Amino acid sequence: MTDTEFQPETGFTEPTQTDQPAVSPSARHFPMLLGLEGPLKGRRFILDKQVISIGRDMLADILLMDNRASRQHTRIIYVNIQQKDEVPVCRLFDAGSTNGTFLNQKKVGAGGAPLADKDHIHIGRTVFGFYIRDDQDVKAEETFEVLAAQDDITGLFNKSTFYRILAREVERARRYQRHLSFLLLDLDNLSDVAERYGPAARNSLLRKVGFLLTQSLRAQDIAGSIGPKHEMGILLPETPPKGALLAAERLCKGVAEEVLQHGDIQIHSTASIGVAVLNSDTGSQEELIRSVRRALDSARDQGGNRALRLDADQTT
């Protein structure tokens, strides 16, 4: 894909230019983005600032864990944010990105473009829907929407979302007799970082490793923050034992090479990773979880900074 050509990878329905919000004269209206495709699928963002930044930068208002997005990729300007009784007026701007920002499959030029209800915004692998909702709609949607699909610290899926996906992938792997690999990652010095430098440094380290995972994994892989001590789970569909162990070893190497700059301090870390494979080591979701936890415990016991898969006869 070039900077000037857009080849959609998703199956969403293109909105028509005549779609406009139904305006209730007595209600207050809010602009919002809803992730339709990509890493933020299902996530909702109420636009409550005059300038909303989107990109891979850790300080972006909406952080994209997407290597096809630029650090400062897109901006949305909420033009009339001070006029609470008016329907929101928003404009979309590209922030000098490498691959461009697309509105309804058309590349956004230097002058930006106005946003209308039900528009689609394409940034890297992510597709957002832009919507204008009144306060009653927002409250109603909050009742049914999974607001916390994403872990607030790491940017990965949270525990409940991860395990829902795990159940789906286990069923699929068993039905079609395919491999499903499960990696369980734990940072070896995370508690020491928290004690020495505080929770902010710990959270920054977790977020950096979460970002590393999203950059290192394939599009079909799933990563989540799932443990009470911030362990991270990774699902690798269609991946046999040898490939899973190689992937885990690459992640160990990647974590060891990362450096977190926290103020004037450089923080290094290493990871222990347990590896287990459905249909090789185990035949059920419960057995898969027990197997990967035993492998992680063994990796820790052997000094950490390593990936380990137990032989099948050790997991019984």
Side-chain angles (χ1 to χ4, degrees), residues 222-238:
I222 301 295
S225 179
I226 64 173
K229 297 182 179 179
H230 303 287
E231 295 154 331
M232 300 180 195
I234 303 107
L235 299 179
L236 307 178
E238 307 284 342

Side-chain angles (χ1 to χ4, degrees), residues 87-113:
V87 175
V89 175
C90 296
R91 289 188 67 85
L92 178 70
F93 292 87
D94 185 78
S97 69
T98 300
N99 294 320
T101 300
F102 294 83
L103 177 63
N104 302 330
Q105 299 191 26
K106 296 180 181 179
K107 190 173 184 181
V108 176

Side-chain angles (χ1 to χ4, degrees), residues 133-165:
R133 294 289 183 263
D134 65 31
D135 47 8
Q136 294 179 350
D137 286 338
V138 169
K139 290 176 183 177
E141 288 167 2
E142 286 176 349
T143 304
F144 302 103
E145 186 182 6
V146 180
L147 296 176
Q150 190 178 38
D151 178 68
D152 291 336
I153 297 175
T154 62
L156 307 175
F157 285 117
N158 68 11
K159 180 178 179 180
S160 62
T161 304
F162 181 87
Y163 278 109
R164 282 199 299 272
I165 296 172

Side-chain angles (χ1 to χ4, degrees), residues 187 189-190 192-194 196-198 200-206 208 255-270:
L187 295 177
N189 63 335
L190 189 63
D192 292 337
V193 169
R196 293 185 63 184
Y197 306 116
R202 176 202 62 196
N203 291 349
S204 294
L205 179 60
L206 287 166
K208 192 172 186 67
V255 171
E257 292 175 348
E258 286 288 329
V259 179
L260 173 66
Q261 190 70 42
H262 184 69
D264 297 331
I265 302 167
Q266 288 189 337
I267 299 175
H268 299 261
S269 188
T270 58

